[in-house]
Amino acid sequence: MTEPSTAIDPATEAARVRGRFERALIAGIAISGEHSLAAVLQRVVDSAREVVGARYAALGVLDERGESLVEFVTSGLTDEARRRMGQFPQGHGLLGALIRDGQPLRTGDIDTHPLRHGFPTSHPTMRSFLGVPI
């Protein structure tokens, strides 16, 4: 029995990469036109979610000491879903590892990751996680 081919078509891959680059470029231009910090942060997180094709995205802003989150900007959630979640994360678990280690972190299953801290009861279901400190 022959296995299905898993080879990536170079033309398809090139088109995918070109599309991501174009979306990132458009996002960069849009961000540069913003005049308030809140609008810039929202554009950044919205654009990142779109470029990587994620259902949800967030951007955490650290305090002056770089030890905990003072702001948490989300994308992909309705205003109502965001309100139901209540207080934004405080930087424990996977987010805490990003703060402490300053290294990208990726997992395909949040529930089995040893650093998992948990979600509020009203948090949307999430399985995978990609965090990158900037």
Side-chain angles (χ1 to χ4, degrees):
M1 182 179 280
T2 306
E3 292 290 321
S5 174
T6 57
I8 298 172
D9 174 48
T12 302
E13 181 64 8
R16 185 186 69 78
V17 170
R18 187 173 37 256
R20 282 189 171 181
F21 176 77
E22 288 171 357
R23 288 191 300 275
L25 181 60
I26 290 166
I29 292 168
I31 289 166
S32 69
E34 294 294 348
H35 298 288
S36 76
L37 179 59
V40 168
L41 295 178
Q42 189 64 58
R43 283 271 196 169
V44 167
V45 74
D46 289 341
S47 298
R49 183 174 70 91
E50 180 183 337
V51 168
V52 300
R55 181 178 299 149
Y56 306 110
L59 187 146
V61 178
L62 296 177
D63 65 11
E64 290 180 7
R65 296 181 306 178
E67 296 175 353
S68 63
L69 296 171
V70 294
E71 190 170 346
F72 200 70
V73 182
T74 61
S75 180
L77 294 171
T78 64
D79 290 341
E80 178 58 29
R82 181 69 181 96
R83 274 193 296 279
R84 281 196 316 268
M85 285 176 36
Q87 186 177 19
F88 61 78
Q90 300 302 297
H92 303 290
L94 298 173
L95 295 178
L98 288 171
I99 294 168
R100 284 188 313 277
D101 303 337
Q103 297 294 318
L105 177 62
R106 182 177 182 180
T107 182
D109 188 355
I110 293 171
D111 289 337
T112 63
H113 197 281
L115 296 177
R116 180 183 187 277
H117 185 72
F119 292 117
T121 56
S122 59
H123 196 284
T125 302
M126 293 174 61
R127 184 164 184 268
S128 60
F129 174 86
L130 170 62
V132 181
I134 53 172

